[in-house]
Amino acid sequence: MDIRAIGMGLLFALIWSSAFTSARIIVADAPPLMISALRFAIAGTIGVIIARALGQSWHLTPAQWRATIIFGLCQNALYLGLYFTAMTTIEASLASIIASTMPLIVALLGWAAKGEKLSKMAVSGLVLGFGGVVMIMANRMGQGVDLFGVMLCVIGALALAIATLSVSNASSGGNVMMIVGLQMLVGSIALVFASLAFETWAVNWNPKMLTAFIYTIFAPGLFATWIWFALVARIGAVKAATFHFLNPFFGVAIAAMILGEKLGFWDIFGVAVICAGILAVQLSKQSHTAK
């Protein structure tokens, strides 16, 4: 892993983690499902245009269409739609902490559903990671955290983990940017119907909200996706995934700096424990791959 790869990994983790803060700003002035549908419609269209400019085709393989539909529904509609909804009632820092457990959930489901072996390091990482979440949640419960919002985040993280396991190798064969764009459009269509059923379309467009909306489309939505695939191409998916251990730290730090969210001792300590757990799980995968 060279200096450039490290820089790409740090930048990806930073941008990915910032999405929770920008989402929190957006949903203060817009219905979460409706604004998510609009976000994915715009980002998906831009992604498809970029893909066509790069010479990519929308004639995908069956595996790629499967990946597009599953990720469009699970990642964009369920995971991100539920997280945007949850952040109308819970803080961005807590949402980012729950979302950061996705690598842990993937490892746990891989063992439970697919019989993948867990090394001692991986088991220790799972215990540490989920233990850190329990520490933070136990402390937040006493502060009146919204349990419905927490439940939406847990369901969203689980949906993304299931999708990750289901289509782990489906991006092979090229047309990566086309798949990214089309899966955003799939998510947008699903969210439009959900929004029509549950929301009233009323948006308070203002400079702060609009800035956060544009940022979310281009930075976490398109730029971070490009960085991720470039990083995977450079050092491989297993090594690239190691940078996920930084997500809890960046998530709470950005929310504290921009939104002024308060962090107590147990929040900081719990985040450190979660980071250590995720790092242990990801390093165990590298050790297993090297054998």
Side-chain angles (χ1 to χ4, degrees):
M1 191 180 297
D2 56 20
I3 295 297
R4 184 175 180 181
I6 293 173
M8 291 169 66
L10 291 173
L11 184 59
F12 166 77
L14 183 65
I15 296 174
W16 187 92
S17 302
S18 71
F20 299 95
T21 293
S22 61
R24 177 75 167 165
I25 295 172
I26 292 168
V27 299
D29 292 298
L33 300 179
M34 172 265 177
I35 203 67
S36 296
L38 180 59
R39 166 199 171 186
F40 291 131
I42 296 172
T45 300
I46 294 173
V48 170
I49 291 172
I50 293 173
R52 291 299 293 165
L54 293 173
Q56 296 182 13
S57 170
W58 42 48
H59 298 293
L60 307 180
T61 66
Q64 288 176 327
W65 274 117
R66 179 169 170 262
T68 299
I69 295 171
I70 291 177
F71 261 98
L73 294 176
C74 290
Q75 175 177 282
N76 298 327
L78 281 175
Y79 168 62
L80 292 171
L82 289 174
Y83 266 78
F84 265 59
T85 302
M87 279 186 284
T88 61
T89 60
I90 68 171
E91 293 184 333
S93 57
L94 181 57
S96 69
I97 288 168
I98 299 173
S100 69
T101 63
M102 193 276 289
L104 303 176
I105 298 173
V106 168
L108 189 61
L109 290 179
W111 167 75
K114 302 177 71 173
E116 295 179 358
K117 294 183 179 180
L118 295 175
S119 66
K120 291 181 180 179
M121 180 184 292
V123 173
S124 299
L126 289 173
V127 172
L128 279 174
F130 288 120
V133 174
V134 171
M135 287 182 199
I136 294 171
M137 290 306 303
N139 180 58
R140 294 287 182 109
M141 289 295 181
Q143 301 174 9
V145 67
D146 180 57
L147 292 180
F148 182 69
V150 171
M151 181 185 70
L152 293 181
C153 288
V154 171
I155 295 173
L158 185 62
L160 181 57
I162 292 173
T164 300
L165 283 174
S166 300
V167 293
S168 56
N169 297 316
S171 61
S172 60
N175 295 322
V176 171
M177 183 55 71
M178 181 64 72
I179 293 173
V180 170
L182 290 176
Q183 75 183 27
M184 287 183 177
L185 295 178
V186 169
S188 178
I189 293 170
L191 287 168
V192 164
F193 285 106
S195 179
L196 287 172
F198 298 108
E199 295 178 334
T200 300
W201 289 14
V203 181
N204 176 28
W205 295 104
N206 58 73
K208 183 179 181 181
M209 182 270 190
L210 190 58
T211 300
F213 182 64
I214 294 173
Y215 171 82
T216 304
I217 290 174
F218 287 97
L222 291 171
F223 186 46
T225 300
W226 177 83
I227 293 174
W228 173 254
F229 282 111
L231 183 62
V232 169
R234 190 176 186 86
I235 62 175
V238 174
K239 289 183 179 179
T242 305
F243 289 97
H244 281 299
F245 90 95
L246 293 169
N247 293 335
F249 170 75
F250 283 148
V252 299
I254 293 170
M257 288 188 293
I258 296 179
L259 301 177
E261 294 184 1
K262 295 181 179 179
L263 297 175
F265 169 79
W266 288 110
D267 293 314
I268 298 172
F269 183 69
V271 165
V273 172
I274 294 170
C275 288
I278 295 172
L279 182 60
V281 169
Q282 297 303 140
L283 289 177
S284 72
K285 290 182 180 179
Q286 288 192 33
S287 300
H288 179 73
T289 304
K291 293 179 179 180

